Amino acid sequence: MYASENRIATSVLVIGTGGAGLRAAVELAERGVDVLAVGKRPKADAHTSLAAGGINAALATMDPEDTWQQHAADTLKESYLLANPETVRIVTEGAARGIEDLVRYGMPFARERDGRISQRFFGAHTFRRTSYAGDYTGLEIQRTLINRAAQLDVRVLDTVYITRILVHDNVVFGAYGFDLTDGSRYVIHADAVILAAGGHTRIWRRTSSRRDENTGDSFRLAVLAGCRIRDPELVQFHPSGLIAPENAAGTLVSEAARGEGGVLRNRLGERFMSRYDPERMELSTRDRVALAAYTEIKEGRGTPDGGVWLDVSHLPRETIMTRLPRVYQTLLELQMLDITKEPIEVAPTAHYSMGGVWVRPEDHGTDVDGLYAIGEAASGLHGANRLGGNSLIELLVFGRIVGRAAAEYSAGLGAQRRSAEALAAAREEVDELLSADGPENVRSLQRALRDIMTEHAGVVRDEGGLRKGLAELAAVEARISGMGVHPDIAGFQDLAHAFDLKSSALAARATIETAIERRETRGCHNRSDYPELDPALQVNLVWSGPGSVERESIPPIPAEIAALMREVSTVGKLVE
């Protein structure tokens, strides 16, 4: 054992300190179970804090006829029939309880004058069911959960990077990692592990994820532990990410900008949505608007820097300042641009991983005993297009359910067997990277990988491009072994970037290989060589390693829910 290794034991380890991880940790602490949460970035700066629009639950505070069954029908419809009906039922039926929990923890929801929680429309919802707190709902949820975790004395390690989940005979027994500041190692023994380390959208060049988050960590940790990945090719591209400045490329311009009356124009000044969805125009669904913008750019009608114009300057200044304050402030800070006078240059940006680790619907257990996955790390709810506002409620519903499941699993464990070999392998992996002194620069390899994914596996894909991307990815994978890793006085970020790169490479391969297999156009997945939806591909694609993609059938939709599924107008609503 190394002198610099910290050894910790806990009943349940939570990897990730965003909304999903903290909600699970709170559930465990409320049940009196010893829990430790670890994150590679400060919990106050988790990705959850970026979510602006709102959180869904059929509370019926505004529209009394709304029901969880209608919420389920809308979710399944928007998923292009790839969501798991049981997962959808659990989330939509448990959504009101999720909101109640937040209120109990002190969440400051917007309310009507009579005290009811306000709810607004998001596109493709039949009724008003999106609760919110200004245009910073995710930030308030994160703050609320941080406060509740502090009240319960939940242990949180903010600067620990987990490199391996420790498994013996397909049973989890903990995790291994290092401190980002001083490089000291952590051996964490745990009865159960909850993986809540986010998605993989950072592997594209333009993304709403910040630097060094959502690099596919969950995918790599899960696959090395013995799990599978479901539907990694299903990635939602948000229509309006900023192009400049380079260090903020992909930063979202809220879709409220279009919801409030913003218009999209190409380089020629044409309001191009009339070509793609003449009825709904800018209020069309997220996948269609992203595809339209991508097509305009690809066909040469884009702006000088390869985007389109989003213009709100025709709106009254008061509307912009009261309804879009965050957008106004962001553009002023990043570009010195006054959106009350000038249009914003935007382009589609990778936004949300709808696929993720394969889990059971009822408890989000994985293929490995004692290992669970939740939040954007998991799969099953969103299918081929995510209904706006559903991601935040998913965190709360499954955070509670998985916290309870992990508590029961830990309590029922007769004994725990550990593996010296698994621990040695995890330790050796870190040692090898720390001694790596090759000529390859980690950051340049990350950039090369993001370029491959953007060029060959972006908004629109085809067989030739995907196979070329796979060949180029193999070349990058080969170069990874020649990396140089150089921690310095500032800390061990370079080691973290090396692990990020390994995760991104695995996530990229899973994404491209399943994208090749899905020879159809469905929701967010656009194949120019297969422009039609193929009923035979109404299946989930499950990836278990290089070259291994299997089709998984989806359970039938209950008749009572199927009867409620219909096209939903987005007229007069905020889009997703």
Side-chain angles (χ1 to χ4, degrees), residues 432-494:
E432 284 180 0
L433 278 178
L434 282 174
S435 62
D437 197 26
E440 296 286 359
N441 179 276
V442 175
R443 282 301 201 195
S444 66
L445 288 174
Q446 284 181 330
R447 195 174 303 117
L449 188 147
R450 288 200 294 269
D451 286 345
I452 290 167
M453 295 304 292
T454 301
E455 185 65 29
H456 303 300
V459 178
V460 178
R461 305 152 176 187
D462 63 59
E463 192 95 11
L466 288 165
R467 294 204 177 276
K468 188 176 180 187
L470 210 51
E472 291 178 10
L473 176 62
V476 169
E477 288 171 333
R479 292 169 61 193
I480 288 176
S481 59
M483 284 189 300
V485 177
H486 309 289
D488 56 27
I489 195 168
F492 282 71
Q493 293 293 339
D494 207 38

Side-chain angles (χ1 to χ4, degrees), residues 256 260-261 312 314-325 340:
E260 294 295 341
V312 296
H314 57 284
L315 299 176
R317 181 180 175 84
E318 184 185 359
T319 299
I320 291 172
M321 303 309 283
T322 56
R323 301 291 187 91
L324 305 170
T340 66

Side-chain angles (χ1 to χ4, degrees), residues 266-268 270 275-276 295-297 299-303 307:
N266 61 21
R267 179 174 52 85
L268 307 174
E270 297 169 329
R275 275 197 281 275
Y276 304 93
T295 304
E296 291 295 308
I297 297 163
E299 293 183 356
R301 296 184 294 278
T303 56

